[in-house]
Amino acid sequence: MNSPPSGSDEFALLAPTIQRWIWREGWAGLRDAQSAAIRAIAPGGADVLVAAPTAAGKTEAAFLPLLTRVLREDRPGVRALYLGPLKALINDQFARMEGLCEEIEFPVHKWHGDVAGSAKEKVRKKPNGVLLMTPESLEALFVLHGSHVRRMFEGLEAVVI
């Protein structure tokens, strides 16, 4: 970590609930990729590419400012879609996102071939929060439940790949 969160301009751009989560997690500061991503993503309206080495905090770099944006406005549907190439990666990202999303009272869902049909049905019936899924699952959603897609993603703020 590079700088204390409380003293950084980027930290101040994050929602107070996210700031509290960062403090509770004991972060000493934001990493370079996170600071840069917060500056780029927080305002919205632009595509952003986050490139950093393994274990540089890219997931948080994308989701801390993105969740700050989606918390500002209550809209129906899934608000952020994360597409990951592997079920194992989706499971890992879900485990990382679950604590943060619980803290800010914002749902996070995983969706891939090993996720129970009842969990997927719950998201189809009441789409909300962050959805982590594989490209194959997104394709299957279009093919098998195409009539649900518009309603599910009507409030989509961003896609993270």
Side-chain angles (χ1 to χ4, degrees):
M1 300 287 180
N2 299 327
S3 61
S6 62
S8 75
D9 293 337
E10 294 82 12
F11 183 78
L13 293 173
L14 299 173
T17 53
I18 293 174
Q19 292 175 3
R20 282 193 296 276
W21 177 82
I22 290 171
W23 278 112
R24 282 199 242 295
E25 289 294 304
W27 290 21
L30 298 170
R31 296 180 177 178
D32 290 340
Q34 294 165 342
S35 292
I38 290 168
R39 285 191 304 273
I41 296 170
D47 295 333
V48 176
L49 176 65
V50 177
T54 300
K58 291 183 293 291
T59 298
E60 292 79 6
F63 276 103
L64 296 178
L66 179 56
L67 289 170
T68 292
R69 283 191 4 225
V70 301
L71 288 172
R72 290 184 194 139
E73 184 181 349
D74 185 27
R75 289 192 299 199
V78 171
R79 301 299 307 284
L81 173 64
Y82 171 91
L83 288 175
L86 305 168
K87 291 186 262 186
L89 183 57
I90 297 294
N91 291 339
D92 179 64
Q93 298 299 345
F94 179 80
R96 291 175 64 191
M97 296 285 300
E98 194 172 26
L100 168 59
C101 287
E102 184 177 305
E103 175 80 20
I104 65 172
E105 299 179 356
F106 198 75
V108 60
H109 314 278
K110 60 182 174 177
W111 185 314
H112 54 64
D114 294 342
V115 173
S118 60
K120 294 174 185 177
E121 180 66 19
K122 180 180 172 185
V123 177
R124 279 194 303 270
K125 285 185 175 182
K126 188 177 182 204
N128 59 12
V130 176
L131 181 59
L132 312 172
M133 71 187 326
T134 60
E136 296 82 7
S137 293
L138 181 60
E139 178 184 24
L141 175 65
F142 274 90
V143 171
L144 300 173
H145 303 284
S147 62
H148 294 269
V149 172
R150 177 182 286 257
R151 189 175 58 78
M152 284 181 67
F153 297 113
E154 68 184 320
L156 192 65
E157 178 78 20
V159 177
V160 177
I161 300 173

